[in-house]
Amino acid sequence: MSAVFYPVFERHAHGEGLKGRSTHYCPGCGHGLVHKYLASAIEELGIQDRAVAISPVGCSVFLHYYLDVGNTQAAHGRAPAVALGQKLANPRSIVIAYQGDGDLASIGLAEILQAAQMGVPLTVVFVNNAVYGMTGGQMAPTTLPGQRTTTTPLGRGRLEGAPLRMAEMIAQLDGPVYVERVALYDARQRVRARKAIKKAVRLQVEDRGFALVEVLAECPVHLHLTPREAQAWVRDLMVPAFPLGVKKDVAAEKWELPTPVFEAAALARTVGAATEAPPRYCRAFPRHLFGREIAIKVAGTGGDGAQTAALLLARAAINEGFDATHIPSYGPESRGGTSYADVRIAEDEVLSPPCPRPNVLVAFNGPSLAKFGPEVAPGGVIVYDRSVIATPPRLDPSIRLVGADCAATAAALGKPQTKNVVALGALQAATGLFPVDTFREVIRQVLKDKPELAAVNESALGWGVRGERPVS
C-alpha cells in the first residue's frame, strides 16, 4: 500500500479492528481504486508534504480518513472555490479537488466552470457513478436516460433532461490544459485511469495549468447489481453515453503565480480593523437584563440606519470581549424597503444567531413595531421612535415601552441620518446594556477618519441618553 495512505485509519472507527484497516466504501465501489491511484501519483511525484486534498459533501468527503496529506473539507459543491483559495494562498501547494457527480455537476456547476476557465494550476478528480451515492440513490446530473433511481422510479425521461457530459463541457473552455475521461471496469481501463490521474497531478507540479480527470465508477448498491455486474453496466451503458478518451491536451506556458504577502498592518488598514485592543468599560456581562445571552432586533425601513445601528451594537459587544453576531435582512430597495437585523450578544458563545423572540426591539417606524412588537419575549424592552409612531400598539403588559424622539432629535441636530445613534442612546439609558463610553468608543472607531461626523454622532448619542431634544 502507498505510504501516502495512513497505516491505520484512526478517523474510521477510531482505528480499531478491521475497520481501522479498511475503507468505508461499499464492495465494488470505484472510490477505493481512485484513492489508490491518487495516492500513487502523490507518492511517485514526491509531493506528499505539498499536497492538499479538498473533499466536499458526498462519498468523497471521507478522503481525509485515508490519505496522509493536507485536507480541507468544502461545503457542498464549493471544492473548486476552496481549492483556488488554497492554491493562491500557497502557490507551492499541490491542490487536488476530489468530487462526485452530484457535487461537481449539480450544486457545484458554477464553481467548476469558473475555476476551469481561470486555468490556474489545479487538479480535479471527478468520480462519476451516475447517481447520488451517499444520500440514497437519487437522480444525478449524470444519470442515464431510462435509468431508475429513487427520484426517477420509472426511469429518467425527457422531462428530466439529458445527462451532462462534464468532460466535454470543461474541455470546451479556454482555461484547462488537460481533460480526460477514464473508467475502471477492467485492467486495461484501470491502467489508463492511473496514468491519467498521475498526469493531471504532474501538470500542476509543473505549473502548466488546470487539469480534470473524469472517472466512470461503479456504485453497485444503488444500481442493485453485484460488483462484477456493475462493471459490465459501466462498460455497456455508461461508456456509450460518456465516451472515454482525452478531450483536451494542449501545451501551455508555465504559470507564475504571485507570492502572497501577509502583512498584518496592511490587512488591518484594508478591512478597517484596529491593531490594538480597544479599551473596555464593562465590569461584567449585563446578566441583570436577560441572563447570559441577549437577543436584539433593530427594525425600520431602508435609510433609517437599522443595519448600522445593529453593526454598532455587535461591534460594541465584541470590543467588550463578548461574543456577538449580526444578521441583516432587507428588501431590494435601497431606500424605503423593509430593513431589519438580528443581533445576539452572549457572555460566552452565540450558539443560534437568529432572534425570533428578541429581548429588545428598536423600532424606527409603525410597521416595524406592529410586526415585531408581538414577538418580543415577556419582560423585554422596546425602544421606538415616538416622533414617528404616535400611538404604539397594545402589547404584553410585561414589556416595557420606551419612546424616544429619534427622528426629531436628529433633525434638530441638522443630521437626520443620526437618528439611529439617538436610538442607541435611548437604548443605553433604558437598559444599561453597556456604559455610554462603550458606545462612544465604537463611534470613534467607525468614524476615526471623519472626526466631524464622529463629533455629531457622539452628540446624538448624548441627546438620546438624556432623553432630551435640542432646540433647533
Side-chain angles (χ1 to χ4, degrees):
M1 186 170 66
S2 168
V4 174
F5 279 97
Y6 288 112
V8 176
F9 303 139
E10 295 183 359
R11 291 170 177 160
H12 189 205
H14 305 290
E16 298 177 357
L18 181 62
K19 289 185 176 181
R21 296 184 180 273
S22 62
T23 70
H24 72 287
Y25 297 115
C26 305
C29 170
H31 276 288
L33 283 173
V34 182
H35 282 19
K36 178 181 178 181
Y37 302 153
L38 184 57
S40 297
I42 292 170
E43 183 176 26
E44 291 168 10
L45 293 169
I47 57 168
Q48 183 173 1
D49 291 341
R50 298 166 58 193
V52 179
I54 313 295
S55 53
V57 175
C59 293
S60 58
V61 72
F62 296 109
L63 182 69
H64 71 282
Y65 277 17
Y66 311 118
L67 298 195
D68 186 8
V69 296
N71 280 279
T72 299
Q73 182 182 349
H76 201 357
R78 311 305 179 226
V82 174
L84 275 170
Q86 291 271 11
K87 185 68 176 182
L88 296 177
N90 182 6
R92 287 198 71 256
S93 62
I94 304 301
V95 185
I96 302 159
Y98 187 91
Q99 299 181 257
D101 46 8
D103 180 78
L104 179 142
S106 180
I107 192 172
L109 184 60
E111 279 76 5
I112 189 62
L113 291 177
Q114 296 294 344
Q117 181 68 329
M118 287 178 67
V120 171
L122 293 172
T123 305
V124 178
V125 177
F126 168 43
V127 180
N128 175 6
N129 55 21
V131 73
Y132 277 89
M134 176 184 248
T135 56
Q138 300 93 338
M139 186 190 83
T142 54
T143 295
L144 302 181
Q147 182 180 342
R148 294 184 179 186
T149 70
T150 57
T151 49
T152 56
L154 301 179
R156 180 172 189 165
R158 187 176 184 183
L159 186 62
E160 289 80 28
L164 291 178
R165 295 186 175 92
M166 290 306 303
E168 286 83 352
M169 189 183 301
I170 299 297
Q172 293 294 317
L173 301 175
D174 295 327
V177 296
Y178 173 60
V179 180
E180 183 172 357
R181 182 184 289 124
V182 296
L184 304 169
Y185 56 80
D186 62 25
R188 177 179 294 179
Q189 303 307 322
R190 291 169 193 161
V191 170
R192 290 175 177 170
R194 178 171 183 162
K195 289 181 178 179
I197 290 172
K198 182 177 180 180
K199 179 174 180 176
V201 178
R202 176 175 55 78
L203 287 169
Q204 185 182 173
V205 175
E206 296 173 355
D207 296 319
R208 294 298 176 184
F210 183 96
L212 179 143
V213 175
E214 179 178 345
V215 183
L216 303 186
E218 294 76 19
C219 185
V221 169
H222 292 305
L223 292 174
H224 306 289
L225 301 172
T226 66
R228 185 166 293 179
E229 290 170 341
Q231 290 175 353
W233 187 90
V234 171
R235 181 193 64 216
D236 299 337
L237 297 179
M238 281 195 79
V239 170
F242 301 104
L244 303 180
V246 176
K247 308 302 176 182
K248 185 173 186 179
D249 190 2
V250 297
E253 295 181 5
K254 292 184 64 175
W255 276 75
E256 296 292 342
L257 293 175
T259 301
V261 178
F262 299 101
E263 295 181 357
L267 177 61
R269 287 194 302 272
T270 301
V271 301
T275 55
E276 296 181 0
R280 294 181 177 177
Y281 302 97
C282 287
R283 295 184 178 180
F285 188 82
R287 290 189 190 178
H288 64 283
L289 293 176
F290 307 105
R292 301 181 67 172
E293 192 164 289
I294 302 169
I296 304 172
K297 192 178 290 286
V298 186
T301 59
D304 280 338
Q307 301 300 333
T308 301
L311 283 168
L312 290 173
L313 280 168
R315 189 161 179 170
I318 293 169
N319 282 352
E320 293 293 349
F322 309 129
D323 194 24
T325 56
H326 162 242
I327 302 178
S329 182
Y330 41 82
E333 307 90 343
S334 60
R335 288 289 185 272
T338 59
S339 178
Y340 62 91
D342 287 356
V343 176
R344 194 173 282 272
I345 301 169
E347 183 173 7
D348 299 315
E349 183 179 2
V350 172
L351 299 178
S352 181
C355 303
R357 295 285 284 169
N359 306 114
V360 176
L361 170 65
V362 179
F364 290 103
N365 59 18
S368 295
L369 181 54
K371 179 178 180 179
F372 297 115
E375 298 179 0
V376 175
V381 177
I382 295 177
V383 176
Y384 69 95
D385 189 347
R386 66 184 173 201
S387 58
V388 175
I389 306 168
T391 305
R394 290 187 179 181
L395 298 169
D396 187 318
S398 70
I399 295 172
R400 182 157 58 103
L401 284 162
V402 179
D405 296 318
C406 303
T409 299
L413 290 170
K415 291 289 184 182
Q417 64 268 36
T418 63
K419 64 181 177 181
N420 56 346
V421 180
V422 176
L424 291 181
L427 173 63
Q428 194 283 331
T431 64
L433 175 65
F434 301 128
V436 177
D437 285 337
T438 299
F439 289 97
R440 289 198 185 104
E441 181 65 31
V442 77
I443 289 170
R444 291 167 186 168
Q445 284 181 357
V446 172
L447 297 173
K448 61 181 182 298
D449 297 326
K450 300 176 181 178
E452 293 183 1
L453 279 179
V456 172
N457 278 272
E458 284 191 56
S459 177
L461 177 71
W463 287 107
V465 170
R466 294 189 294 275
E468 300 174 357
R469 188 190 307 181
V471 178
S472 58

